[in-house]
Amino acid sequence: MTTTEPTIGTAPFTTEPMDDARLATLVAALRPVLADDQILLAKTDRYNRARVPAPFPVHRWSERVPDLVVLPTSTEQVAAVVRIANDLRVPVVPRDGGTGLTDGAVPMRRGIVVDVKRMNQVHELDLVNRTVTVGTGISMMKLNERLAQHGLFYPDDPASYPCSLVGGRIGTSGWSLIGSRYGHTRDLVLSFDHVLPTGDVLHVGDGIGRKISKSSSGYQLKHLFMGHQGTLGIATKATLKLFPKPEAELSPFWAFDSYDDAHACTGALARAGVATFAGAVLFDEHKVAYLRRDDEAYIPQPSDVRALVCSVMYGYEDEVRAGGRRLFRIAKEHGARYLGDEISEGDWAARHDRYATPLHGRTKDGQVIPMSWHCEDAAVNFSNVPAVSRAWHEILADLRRKTDVFDDWGMFAYTSASTGVDYLTEIDVGIWEQRLDDAAWAAWVQAKRDIAAVAIAHGGSMSACHGSCREGEVDLLPQELGRGFDVMLEVKRALDPNNVMNPGKYLLDRAYGEDPDVRD
Ligand SMILES: Cc1cc2nc3c(=O)[nH]c(=O)nc-3n(C[C@H](O)[C@H](O)[C@H](O)COP(=O)(O)OP(=O)(O)OC[C@H]3O[C@@H](n4cnc5c(N)ncnc54)[C@H](O)[C@@H]3O)c2cc1C
């Protein structure tokens, strides 16, 4: 690949901890801006902010711990911290809930973690225009508790709903479980205040106001400043679209004795054009097998069940009931067996903790062992979901033939748009982290690369919601984006001349000649 030679000074970023003198200089510079309890230096505070759900070889964890953590409470404080960091050439990593699955909030080059959790205020609730302006450290669940008093809700609903925060949703451009009806984070966030890597503050959104949903003035910067994984700055205050809190929810759960029927049914549900349809989830055969062998699974899985489909509708009672009748009819035509109200409602209610329940896997001999959950996701067209599923399971089967460190926990496919054009496909993997040594890690990274390659080969994207900045899939980013990747490098260099904002992510160091391939 070719890039231009660096034209600006590149800071000597290192993965070594900051020495005492440099740390003292940094703390002294921050003292006029932040109170003592907003600057955290203790080992536990720093290690806690280095923690993310995705696995990393435990014996190498200490390589990715920040030198210090700050807890700002306002846009002005965030801007001042970033300005100081830029002047001193210290890396800055934004962190909200720390639930991101692609290591975006991990301080690869140490430096300062900016934890925005104290910026969790509701600044303005506009009942007439139906918007709310919040600090980006608020979670969707906490926000909705407040909005419920007014009969409103903010429908960004990831599986991590209680613990991921609005700023992290912007940083990842996340995907919502009910996006087929309400859209995803990028559709629901109207505008936000954003601190650039130099410490300048801009307002991002359509139009100059906070609450405009569609403008044709100038470049549309909103998407640029979403999903960048903290590499282009920090969102501090966001204005969000609100909807009436749905009066009714219907979440039928159907069993199938054939995966192909379940796949066809999911597509038919999504394409039916039922206005209350908010999404459908397809559980494949491996997922059903996993639930069946799991001691803690709460859904009965008779042996003739080969696949499951969970659909969900939201709206007024009258429209949900009518739309539901149509979807039940479609499901029946595809051979569905309704699992009953109790299981249906229970499964949908479990959507926010479904992942956390069975944190154990199996050795090849069937022995139960502690494992942690990891998943790889991709955006794939409906027609390609079965082929991608087959190829992904084969990659994991190969990995499993080599070692017991991994287990195949099956796949979900989730509808994304209201027309059913593309699906978030996700393969869940159990990883025995205590056994994750360098050799197993290398095998895992190769498997991730292979998984991403399958998505691209099928005309998909490597990630529908988590992002692709981890070792393995990130290697394929230039391939997926083509010339667009060079544009990314140009944008990064223009907005972050000193590479202070979350360095080491998305191969963006190449913009500064910091990549070995570029130097050679
Ligand atoms: C159990 C579980 C289920 C999940 N389910 C889903 C799901 O259904 N859909 C989905 O999309 N994701 C899901 N995720 C992934 C994760 O929850 C999302 O990516 C979420 O958007 C991350 O939010 P966060 O607040 O935890 O951000 P963090 O993990 O703190 O940060 C994520 C990225 O955004 C950057 N960032 C953080 N704050 C800001 C800010 N204020 N401004 C700019 N950049 C910032 C960080 O540097 C990082 O790169 C799941 C994760 C878990 C653990």
Side-chain angles (χ1 to χ4, degrees), residues 6 157 160 217 225 244 247 315 352 431:
D157 190 341
S160 52
S217 285
F225 290 109
E247 190 179 62
H352 296 141
I431 298 190

Side-chain angles (χ1 to χ4, degrees), residues 1-4 477-494 506-508 510-512 518:
M1 89 143 269
T2 55
T3 61
T4 52
L477 196 67
Q479 185 186 328
E480 178 175 326
L481 299 186
R483 175 75 178 95
F485 179 66
D486 298 329
V487 173
M488 260 178 83
L489 298 181
E490 287 155 21
V491 169
K492 172 70 174 171
R493 199 167 42 226
Y506 267 139
L507 306 179
L508 289 166
R510 290 185 185 182
Y512 308 87
V518 174

Side-chain angles (χ1 to χ4, degrees), residues 231-309:
T231 60
L232 291 183
I234 307 183
T236 54
K237 195 194 241 191
T239 299
L240 316 170
K241 267 192 220 171
L242 301 179
F243 291 77
K245 190 170 162 19
E247 190 179 62
E249 170 188 288
L250 180 63
S251 52
F253 204 9
W254 293 292
F256 294 79
D257 50 20
S258 138
Y259 171 77
D260 289 343
D261 288 348
H263 171 252
C265 177
T266 309
L269 295 172
R271 289 191 301 265
V274 171
T276 51
F277 175 77
V281 189
L282 166 65
F283 298 53
D284 81 349
E285 293 175 66
H286 293 259
K287 180 60 77 187
V288 175
Y290 169 66
L291 293 172
R292 192 178 286 125
R293 71 178 155 80
D294 193 293
D295 307 322
E296 296 172 24
Y298 51 89
I299 305 168
Q301 303 297 341
S303 58
D304 57 349
V305 175
R306 313 303 311 169
L308 297 159
V309 174

